[in-house]
Amino acid sequence: VAAFWLGAAAMAAYALYLFFFTERAITAEGVHRALGSYGSPNNLALLLERAAPLLIAQLALGWRAASGRPWMRAGNILRALALAVVLLALVLTFSRGALLLGMPAALLFLAALQGRRMLGFGVAALAALVGGILPLLGTERLHSLLDTNAGTGFFRLRLWQSALQMLVDRPWLGVGPDNFLYQYRTWYMLPDAWREPNLSHPHNIVLDFATRLGIAGIAVLVWVQVAFWRLALTLHRHLTPGEARATLAGLMAGMAATLAHGLVDHAFFLVDLAFVFCLMAAVVANEVDRRPPDRV
C-alpha cells in the first residue's frame, strides 16, 4: 500500500515538473492540463484519485496510532507532503470525471463512515468545494460536458448507444478483450459521431465489462464488488481505530472513486488501474484471512 501511494506521489511530482517547467502538457477546451508520462490527463487523474483518498484517510483517521510513535509521525509528514503533491497534480489535470465524480464520491464515503453528522458536513463542504472548482474547469470545457448536441456530452451519449448495440449483437461472449476499438469504428459508430472514431472503450465500467466479456463480464463485476464491499465493511466494523482501520477506509474510498468515475471513463482494463483494483481487493481479502472466523 505504501509503495502504491509513494508511486502515485512520484508520478504527481513528475507531472508538476513537466507542467511548470516544460511544454509536456495538453491545452484543450480552454485549459492547460497536466498529464505526466501518460498520453492523456484523464489517465493521470484516474491514478491520482485512487491514491488521494487513501492518504486522506490515513492522515485524518489514523492519527491516534501515530501518537507516541515518532516514526509514525514522520510517516504522516511524508503522507501530508505526498497528499499535497497528489491533490495539486489532480486539480491540474482538469479531469471532470475525477473532480466532479471520483473525489466527491470518495470524500462522501469517508464522511459517511464517521456518521450522519459528518456526512452532512461533508455534503456541505463538497458543495462549496465543487462550486470553487467549476470556474477552474473553464467555460468551454464545462459547456462541452453539458451540451448534448456537440462536444463531450454528445459523443459520450452516442458512444453508449453504440456500446449497447454491440452488447445486443454479442450478448454471450462480447467482442473480446481489447477489441472494442476495431468493432466500434468498423461497424457500430453512429454517423454523427464520426469526429471521434478511435475510442478503445465505452467510457462506462458496466458497458466495458459487458462489451469485452459479454453477460458473464457483468456477472463477474457484480460478484467482485459484492464480495469486496461485504468483506471490507464487515472488517471495518471489527477493527479498532488506528492505522489498519484508516488504511481500509482509504482503500474503500478509492473503490468508491473507481466506481463513480468509472461511470464515464476507464475503471479496470488498463495495467495500472487493474493493479490498483486488485491491490484493494487483495489487501481486504488478506486482512480477512488473517483474522479468526468469529471476528469477521
Side-chain angles (χ1 to χ4, degrees):
V1 172
F4 162 54
W5 64 257
L6 283 169
M11 175 59 71
Y14 181 59
L16 292 177
Y17 164 74
L18 294 177
F19 183 85
F20 288 110
F21 299 105
T22 75
E23 296 181 358
R24 173 70 178 168
I26 287 180
T27 300
E29 296 178 313
V31 292
H32 198 51
R33 307 178 64 191
L35 73 165
S37 63
Y38 288 96
S40 167
N42 292 329
N43 291 93
L44 175 61
L46 287 166
L47 172 68
L48 300 183
E49 73 177 0
R50 286 153 172 76
L54 174 63
L55 289 166
I56 291 171
Q58 289 184 330
L59 286 168
L61 306 179
W63 60 272
R64 292 181 183 176
S67 59
R69 302 181 185 180
W71 65 272
M72 290 196 68
R73 289 198 296 269
N76 279 343
I77 293 174
L78 181 59
R79 288 187 182 95
L81 293 173
L83 178 60
V85 172
V86 166
L87 289 179
L88 178 57
L90 182 59
V91 170
L92 291 178
T93 66
F94 292 96
S95 169
R96 295 164 299 195
L99 298 177
L100 301 180
L101 290 175
M103 284 303 297
L107 294 176
L108 285 177
F109 177 83
L110 289 175
L113 285 180
Q114 308 309 305
R116 293 183 179 179
R117 179 178 298 180
M118 185 60 70
L119 178 59
F121 174 77
V123 170
L126 274 175
L129 181 62
V130 170
I133 287 175
L134 288 177
L136 296 177
L137 292 178
T139 303
E140 181 182 349
R141 187 156 173 77
L142 278 177
H143 183 267
S144 68
L145 178 64
L146 302 175
D147 188 356
T148 58
N149 296 313
T152 302
F154 166 79
F155 286 111
R156 199 60 50 85
L157 291 174
R158 291 294 187 269
L159 177 63
W160 291 339
Q161 287 179 260
S162 298
L164 284 171
Q165 186 59 52
M166 198 181 298
L167 178 60
V168 169
D169 291 347
R170 300 166 181 258
W172 303 114
L173 299 177
V175 299
D178 210 28
N179 281 331
F180 183 91
L181 167 65
Y182 312 107
Q183 293 293 323
Y184 173 71
R185 68 185 181 188
T186 304
W187 304 107
Y188 292 98
M189 183 175 62
L190 296 176
D192 55 358
W194 63 271
R195 291 182 182 275
E196 290 194 10
N198 298 317
L199 297 175
S200 60
H201 64 104
H203 287 74
N204 178 274
I205 184 172
V206 177
L207 290 175
D208 205 6
F209 273 80
T211 53
R212 291 173 189 264
L213 304 173
I215 293 175
I218 301 177
V220 167
L221 173 63
V222 172
W223 170 54
V224 170
Q225 286 299 314
V226 169
F228 174 85
W229 290 106
R230 181 179 67 84
L231 293 175
L233 290 172
T234 303
L235 180 61
H236 185 268
R237 286 194 295 269
H238 284 84
L239 288 174
T240 57
E243 184 182 16
R245 196 170 194 246
T247 298
L248 177 63
L251 292 174
M252 288 192 290
M255 185 65 79
T258 297
L259 296 176
H261 195 170
L263 294 174
V264 296
D265 208 333
H266 262 303
F268 180 80
F269 292 100
L270 291 174
V271 174
D272 54 345
L273 301 187
F275 167 80
V276 178
F277 188 101
C278 292
L279 174 67
M280 294 173 181
V283 170
V284 170
N286 186 63
E287 283 300 303
V288 170
D289 289 344
R290 289 176 60 243
R291 298 174 186 279
D294 61 338
R295 291 287 306 277
V296 179

